[in-house]
Amino acid sequence: MESSPNHSAAPKVRAKSSTSDRLLDLRSSLSVVNAPLENGDSKPRSSRKMGSESKLSPKIVVGEAGYVLEDVPHLMDYIPDLPTYPNPLQDNPAYSVVKQYFVNKDDTVAQKIVVQKSSPRGTHFRRAGPRQRVYFESDEVRACIVTCGGLCPGLNTVIREIVCGLCHMYGITKILGIEGGYRGFYARNTITLTPKNVNDIHKRGGTILGTSRGGQDTSKIVDSIEDRGINQVYIIGGDGTQKGASVIFEEIQRRGLKVAVVGIPKTIDNDIAVIDKSFGFDTAVEEAQRAINAAHVEAQSFENGIGVVKLMGRYSGFIAMYATLASRDVDCCLIPESPFYLEGEGGLFEYIEKRLKENGHMVIVVAEGAGQELIAESMRSIDHKDASGNKLLLDVGLWLSQKIKDHFAKLQKMTINLKYIDPTYMIRAIPSNASDNVYCTLLAHSAIHGAMAGYTGFTVGPVNGRHAYIPLYRITEAQNKVVITDRMWARLLSSTNQPSFLSTKDIEDSKKEIEPPTQLLNGENLKS
């Protein structure tokens, strides 16, 4: 971003840097880098050309004791002298009993809460919640909601709570639903959303707005937003969708439009970085128990019975790991982060033979992205991708089931009965459970409060239990993955008694992927 020529005293803009680089500069007193104050005293402007991905510079606030705030964009960054209005919530009888409902403008949420006495305060994000002053009058707001990517439990709940929250908290009645994902902005009809027609949609799976992958034409989308007079855009989707949201925000900013763009992260795999977890994950783990239980019943009922269950997890094995830990009926869990091998000493086949001799049956849970390196040679489309940029994977469940059958057929000394269960689309299509319903409500409300307060180009989610506004680039720059050198994976290995299948090289490579030690104020590294 560039500073406005009308504000020569505005602080210089720093290029995006690593966490350690940022922390080296923190001995100085509080300084603001390209971050407008909430009252609008600082108003830097930005002008960037469109690109395939967002190239926005971070807004970094640094302070004493190693404090770093990764702030989110604000409408005042590029539209100076915007008027503000009292928050309508102050007159809402539902919130009259709340002791301190409005969030302090200086409240931030720490990304890490486990520190040592010599640690710097570290990276923070702006705390989510309602502000005393808002940048939209209720009768001027025309909001829209769009869902993109694959299905996930809770999509309808988020839609419902955005609509009801806008209406009941802020008195906003002009709300549109964009049908069919991003393309729907210019290729499909819109539907009017009201609290009445979304009242019971949380009881249904899927999304009432429909969804699609890819197909984004940013200029057409922003043209549609401008033509329809939309000034709040709520985008629900995974990391690819959030990348698209970032590019849409850039174009809106380039045009100088008073439009708040808000992302609500969605992935059933729980692989979005920074936030504690994504909505739909709890429901997926709970529903996965049904498939695991069925596999266990089948395996237990036959001599040398083997139940193989394939669960979601293209790049991250969180559903498989947590479902295994919750079940206690699983003998082996295979995830993308942990390589495994079939033949030889310490391999999967040897372990299966051992478990069958000990228990007479076993259950194997495999994440869809596991073992892809083993089957890559037989998959000519290994580098092919879908419209969202995701790799097209071979069905590891079917492949593994056949390999196990072939192995025991060759042995001719042990007859097995194998049952394969793939509940993937059943899990994706169900309504969210009670836990996810509450979580979706909090996400929706936090998103609304942020948009009304003038923040834009951000996503929302819990960080260490507190909801925060997170720059879009932070949740799209990396994926959240199971750390196989962490205690949680060790707990799973202990629970299943399975071998780790890891070589010394695998363990060393995994350790290298862990975040580097925190840089202290004296320039030394803090080792865990």
Side-chain angles (χ1 to χ4, degrees):
M1 290 186 175
E2 297 176 357
S3 299
S4 167
N6 297 326
H7 297 273
S8 58
K12 294 181 180 179
V13 180
R14 287 173 54 183
K16 183 176 179 181
S17 57
S18 66
T19 302
S20 58
D21 289 339
R22 295 183 199 126
L23 295 178
L24 288 173
D25 301 329
L26 298 180
R27 297 178 187 175
S28 59
S29 59
L30 180 64
S31 62
V32 181
V33 182
N34 198 24
L37 301 178
E38 196 147 328
N39 61 10
D41 290 342
S42 175
K43 305 163 193 166
R45 287 178 175 269
S46 174
S47 176
R48 283 192 174 272
K49 294 182 179 180
M50 284 287 292
S52 59
E53 291 188 11
S54 172
K55 294 180 174 61
L56 290 175
S57 298
K59 289 171 59 178
I60 305 297
V61 179
V62 296
E64 295 179 354
Y67 175 91
V68 176
L69 168 62
E70 293 199 31
D71 207 353
V72 297
H74 194 278
L75 293 173
M76 292 288 285
D77 290 1
Y78 62 95
I79 306 177
D81 304 318
L82 277 178
T84 63
Y85 313 95
N87 194 319
L89 282 172
Q90 67 186 16
D91 301 317
N92 191 318
Y95 298 96
S96 60
V97 297
V98 180
K99 185 176 180 181
Q100 185 180 351
Y101 189 70
F102 295 116
V103 173
N104 188 301
K105 67 180 182 180
D106 295 324
D107 284 358
T108 59
V109 179
Q111 184 176 10
K112 292 185 178 180
I113 57 175
V114 178
V115 297
Q116 288 77 30
K117 63 181 180 180
S118 55
S119 302
R121 290 175 63 189
T123 300
H124 291 65
F125 302 105
R126 189 171 291 278
R127 185 183 176 189
R131 269 59 179 175
Q132 288 184 314
R133 307 291 295 182
V134 296
Y135 285 77
F136 293 93
E137 288 188 288
S138 298
D139 57 3
E140 77 166 304
V141 173
R142 189 172 179 85
C144 75
I145 306 170
V146 63
T147 54
C148 305
L151 295 184
C152 175
L155 282 169
N156 279 334
T157 305
V158 175
I159 295 170
R160 180 190 188 278
E161 297 310 318
I162 292 175
V163 173
C164 293
L166 285 169
C167 184
H168 297 152
M169 292 192 297
Y170 288 99
I172 295 165
T173 57
K174 301 171 186 175
I175 309 168
L176 295 176
I178 307 298
E179 294 186 304
Y182 276 136
R183 282 193 295 266
F185 276 99
Y186 52 86
R188 297 287 294 274
N189 293 328
T190 61
I191 59 175
T192 300
L193 299 176
T194 66
K196 184 176 181 179
N197 65 21
V198 301
N199 183 54
D200 62 350
I201 63 172
H202 62 291
K203 299 175 184 178
R204 298 182 236 161
T207 164
I208 63 164
L209 299 179
T211 185
S212 64
R213 294 186 185 275
Q216 176 184 323
D217 187 320
T218 306
S219 293
K220 286 184 179 180
I221 290 173
V222 179
D223 287 344
S224 176
I225 290 171
E226 192 170 4
D227 292 343
R228 296 175 188 274
I230 294 169
N231 49 23
Q232 289 187 10
V233 182
Y234 296 92
I235 299 172
I236 310 168
D239 57 350
T241 301
Q242 302 304 316
K243 288 176 183 176
S246 186
V247 177
I248 290 169
F249 161 67
E250 280 195 73
E251 176 65 6
I252 285 172
Q253 185 185 50
R254 188 187 67 81
R255 298 187 190 188
L257 304 178
K258 185 187 176 184
V259 179
V261 178
V262 184
I264 299 174
K266 173 232 67 171
T267 168
I268 202 169
D269 294 345
N270 197 39
D271 60 359
I272 289 182
V274 181
I275 64 174
D276 296 344
K277 67 176 179 179
S278 52
F279 73 82
F281 176 71
D282 281 354
T283 304
V285 172
E286 183 177 301
E287 188 66 15
Q289 301 301 295
R290 299 177 186 271
I292 292 173
N293 183 59
H296 185 245
V297 170
E298 287 284 348
Q300 212 173 20
S301 300
F302 293 88
E303 182 183 4
N304 294 326
I306 301 175
V308 178
V309 180
K310 187 186 80 170
L311 297 176
M312 290 81 70
R314 181 177 291 272
Y315 303 110
S316 304
F318 286 103
I319 291 178
M321 180 174 73
Y322 277 84
T324 295
L325 283 168
S327 169
R328 304 295 177 180
D329 287 331
V330 178
D331 299 284
C332 185
C333 176
L334 305 173
I335 62 173
E337 296 88 339
S338 182
F340 66 94
Y341 57 97
L342 302 178
E343 311 269 358
E345 184 179 352
L348 180 62
F349 290 157
E350 182 184 81
Y351 176 62
I352 293 174
E353 291 179 37
K354 177 185 174 185
R355 287 304 274 179
L356 291 178
K357 289 176 182 177
E358 292 174 348
N359 293 343
H361 67 275
M362 76 175 298
V363 175
I364 301 171
V365 167
V366 57
E368 62 180 319
Q372 291 298 312
E373 69 283 353
L374 295 178
I375 52 179
E377 292 181 4
S378 62
M379 183 179 178
R380 294 182 179 179
S381 60
I382 189 67
D383 292 324
H384 293 183
K385 297 181 179 180
D386 63 19
S388 292
N390 298 314
K391 267 187 178 181
L392 293 174
L393 304 179
L394 191 67
D395 192 324
V396 67
L398 285 174
W399 175 85
L400 182 61
S401 298
Q402 190 59 50
K403 284 290 185 181
I404 294 172
K405 290 178 182 178
D406 291 345
H407 172 75
F408 282 95
K410 290 178 183 177
L411 287 182
Q412 296 182 346
K413 63 179 182 180
M414 184 182 291
T415 302
I416 63 166
N417 289 278
L418 188 146
K419 301 294 188 298
Y420 172 53
I421 299 175
D422 180 359
T424 300
Y425 293 103
M426 295 176 65
I427 293 175
R428 283 172 26 138
I430 64 171
S432 53
N433 64 11
S435 172
D436 273 323
N437 273 336
V438 173
Y439 180 28
C440 289
T441 300
L442 297 178
L443 284 173
H445 287 189
S446 294
I448 293 167
H449 295 318
M452 291 299 294
Y455 295 111
T456 180
F458 71 91
T459 193
V460 64
V463 179
N464 292 317
R466 293 286 186 177
H467 282 247
Y469 298 141
I470 305 163
L472 285 167
Y473 68 83
R474 281 305 305 271
I475 67 163
T476 59
E477 64 185 3
Q479 284 182 312
N480 190 28
K481 294 188 176 184
V482 174
V483 179
I484 59 173
T485 54
D486 197 15
R487 280 190 292 271
M488 187 59 78
W489 184 245
R491 293 183 184 107
L492 180 140
L493 296 179
S494 176
S495 171
T496 60
N497 287 318
Q498 71 184 67
S500 70
F501 302 113
L502 294 178
S503 65
T504 303
K505 182 179 181 300
D506 292 328
I507 296 174
E508 290 303 317
D509 289 345
S510 179
K511 287 181 179 179
K512 290 177 184 176
E513 294 175 4
I514 300 174
E515 189 172 336
T518 302
Q519 191 80 24
L520 299 183
L521 297 180
N522 61 7
E524 295 180 355
N525 283 335
L526 177 66
K527 297 181 180 179
S528 57

